[in-house]
Amino acid sequence: MVESRAVRIALRVVSVFVMTFLYLPLVILAIYAFNPSRLLVWPPTGFTLGWFAEAANNPAISVAVVNSLIVGALATVLALILGTLAAIAVHRYSFFGRQTISFFLVLPIALPGVVTGIALRTSFVTFGIDFGLFTIVVGHATFCVVIVYNNVVARLRRLPRSPEEASADLGADMWTTFRRITFPGLGTALLSGGLLAFALSFDEIIVTNFTAGAGTQTIPMWILAAIQRPTELPVVNVVALVLVTFSIIPVYLAQRISGGAAAGVSR
Amino acid sequence: MTPEASRPPTRGEASSAVAAVRLEGLVKRFGDAGTGAGAGTGAGDTSGSASADTVLAVAGIDLDIADGEFFSMLGPSGSGKTTTLRMIAGFELPTAGRILLHGEDVTDRPPFERDVNTVFQDYALFPHMSVADNVAYGLVVRKVPGPERQARVADALRMVRLEGYDRRRPGQLSGGQRQRVALARALVNRPRVLLLDEPLGALDLKLREEMQIELKAIQQAVGITFVYVTHDQQEALTMSDRLAVFNRGRIEQVGTPADVYERPATRFVAGFVGTSNLLSGETARAIVGGSGTFTVRPEKIRLAEPDSQPAPDEASAMGTIREVVYLGPDTRYIVALDAGGELVVTQQNIATSSMEALSAKGRTVRLTWKRQHNLPVGEE
Ligand SMILES: Nc1ncnc2c1ncn2[C@@H]1O[C@H](COP(=O)(O)OP(=O)(O)O)[C@@H](O)[C@H]1O
Ligand SMILES: [Mg+2]
């Protein structure tokens, strides 16, 4: 499409504005992470790595980080298994209520987190399940499953059906066909879905608050608690900066993968 | 149970008695509840109550295909050929009827428990595997030991003339080469029946003609029953031992190519196989002297001077050349008959030049042909 010069300039201005809007807060956060003052004062009074040392020596932070990693990993694995199975069932087989199931699978992502949270909390209490990492994992799985499900369903729609039929034709039973033909075709969809699910789980706070119970803290919960204490603000900035840095990696990978996969299909 | 184990030790010993493929009252209706194998149709309605939404793709087929036969299913697009083939392979469950392979009822068996292999129209190669791994797939999943497997894969690749391509990916092959891989991947399993769905449809004309000859040679070399789906009458006539002409989910005629071409059972067959030269009603009575519908193949008709006398064993009709189409080796004349209707006449350009042929337009001619070439056509 050919745009006029004015439109092109306008688009450029808008994108610069959007980028500023998105990234300026992160830049400010980064500056404060290296600012020696314990309070938020502008302009910065110098440069220090001291807050990094303080963060590293805070056991609550490392426990919370480890908790978040465990929860993210478990929720992702659970979502990969359940989301893939659900996607295959909904895509491949027409059965009574197929559309309904598809609708209810996607619904949790639209439900307010507080609703999901309170519903889960009530259920856990009802069934006498102790709050802890397990309950957080279950809570996170509700939306992680959707992410994986959506990714896999989208891929299944694009994959031709005939290689699977060829596999069955050549004597492979359903499991062998899945393992050798379908699964390799889903590979990148699973990877990008998994990365996205992990990223969502890692910074989730609302459902987490409802399902965590008293003794367990994830890193977003720690941050939320820490900003109530003004003296910990610089450490919060450091933790946030590190999280930003690390969350760039999965997002970048997910983008690369889905971009690469699209190129592979069009070939 | 593997199909290998169920196979009798000497192949084809009962071939004269038991059909390789037998279809009994086969029916397939799409859109009924519980039969939706077709993914991606997007139709959410699975209640199946509305029979208006259903498609009767195969409307009752009875057929015996003999062991070792090259059998074609010929018909226009949408006539139910693919659906029939997919039911034989096991990808679709029939709505009614039975499928027997070598006397064994396989109607309810999944594809992986049937001793047939398929060459798909889009080849359906595994994109993430090399050519050799594609071909070896059937042997791997059936746990054929390594050394035998390698020997058979090498044999199969040699048969389709793809030695040296074993490490390539399907994406790095031409259309014709992919087609050969698909063929090798099916043949390597030594199925008793090979199903082919328009396997040459995606190839250009020259390659297609080469592959027709090659496929026929391979079929004769391996002695496997081929069930070959095509909409190309030329292809069906040149390659087949016998063929079935499909129309709207039914078989109109089964026979040898000569049977079908020279003695079309129905008006549809006469029209679909070869050029439709139909004489019916008053025209038929005037020219042939009998009631009913007749067909005359274009190459059987001779163009003669208007005042010439036909021989006693010849039928004849007067007409005017309405159109001349120069085809290189042949010329096609479309002649408007004085008795009504039209006949297409093809003449070899043995002594005529294109100029002479084209100048015939508008001329009055007498058409003559041997009465034995008046072929009565059954009315449906
Ligand atoms: N999965 C399906 N769902 C619904 N209708 C189908 C499906 N497959 C084929 N049909 C219909 O069945 C009829 C026969 O199709 P097909 O067997 O593919 O014909 P052919 O191979 O002779 O072209 C067509 O009208 C087609 O639209
Ligand atoms: Mg077809």
Side-chain angles (χ1 to χ4, degrees), chain B residues 23-96:
Chain B
L23 309 180
E24 292 178 355
L26 205 60
V27 173
K28 178 66 185 182
R29 185 183 288 282
F30 284 108
D32 276 355
T35 59
T41 47
D45 178 35
T46 49
S47 64
S49 55
S51 61
D53 293 346
T54 65
V55 178
L56 189 59
V58 175
I61 279 182
D62 295 283
L63 188 63
D64 273 355
I65 298 172
D67 208 5
E69 210 172 11
F70 195 118
F71 190 93
S72 293
M73 296 182 174
L74 173 67
S77 175
S79 58
K81 310 177 298 289
T82 295
T83 307
T84 305
L85 205 70
R86 288 174 58 81
M87 286 192 281
I88 300 173
F91 304 135
E92 306 281 359
L93 208 57
T95 310

Side-chain angles (χ1 to χ4, degrees), chain A:
Chain A
M1 200 175 68
V2 182
E3 303 97 354
S4 75
R5 210 179 134 73
V7 171
R8 238 178 13 239
I9 292 172
L11 280 176
R12 222 168 273 170
V13 170
V14 168
S15 40
V16 167
F17 180 77
V18 170
M19 292 302 249
T20 312
F21 175 70
L22 288 176
Y23 286 98
L24 186 64
L26 293 182
V27 173
I28 292 175
L29 179 85
I31 292 171
Y32 276 126
F34 298 100
N35 185 7
S37 165
R38 193 170 273 280
L39 300 172
L40 297 182
V41 289
W42 194 267
T45 56
F47 179 86
T48 177
L49 293 175
W51 306 127
F52 282 81
E54 195 171 323
N57 290 329
N58 186 334
I61 295 177
S62 39
V63 167
V65 167
V66 169
N67 278 346
S68 277
L69 289 174
I70 292 174
V71 167
L74 290 181
T76 303
V77 168
L78 199 62
L80 283 174
I81 296 169
L82 296 179
T84 306
L85 291 178
I88 288 173
V90 166
H91 181 76
R92 281 292 141 84
Y93 304 102
S94 62
F95 48 84
F96 180 73
R98 184 173 99 155
Q99 297 300 82
T100 320
I101 287 186
S102 180
F103 174 77
F104 280 111
L105 273 169
V106 181
L107 190 62
I109 207 129
L111 276 184
V114 276
V115 175
T116 311
I118 193 69
L120 282 168
R121 185 176 189 86
T122 313
S123 310
F124 291 143
V125 170
T126 307
F127 292 112
I129 297 167
D130 293 335
F131 288 96
L133 283 184
F134 171 76
T135 49
I136 304 178
V137 168
V138 172
H140 286 196
T142 56
F143 53 85
C144 290
V145 166
V146 185
I147 300 298
V148 173
Y149 170 84
N150 274 339
N151 264 273
V152 173
V153 158
R155 174 61 55 83
L156 284 174
R157 288 210 185 102
R158 285 198 318 199
L159 282 181
R161 185 77 208 275
S162 55
E164 291 184 340
E165 289 183 343
S167 169
D169 188 71
L170 293 165
D173 58 28
M174 279 162 75
W175 168 240
T176 309
T177 296
F178 177 76
R179 198 163 47 87
R180 288 179 175 272
I181 308 299
T182 318
F183 190 73
L186 292 181
T188 52
L190 291 176
L191 202 55
S192 63
L195 286 171
L196 204 57
F198 184 85
L200 278 183
S201 162
F202 199 77
D203 81 343
E204 214 286 335
I205 183 88
I206 303 172
V207 175
T208 318
N209 257 325
F210 280 99
T211 51
T216 323
Q217 212 172 32
T218 62
I219 195 69
M221 290 172 78
W222 178 85
I223 291 176
L224 194 65
I227 57 169
Q228 321 287 338
R229 306 183 288 269
T231 51
E232 292 215 47
L233 268 184
V235 181
V236 171
N237 288 335
V238 164
V239 171
L241 184 63
V242 172
L243 290 186
V244 167
T245 314
F246 278 102
S247 55
I248 289 172
I249 297 170
V251 172
Y252 173 76
L253 284 179
Q255 283 260 330
R256 282 266 321 236
I257 290 160
S258 45
V265 164
S266 68
R267 216 182 323 123

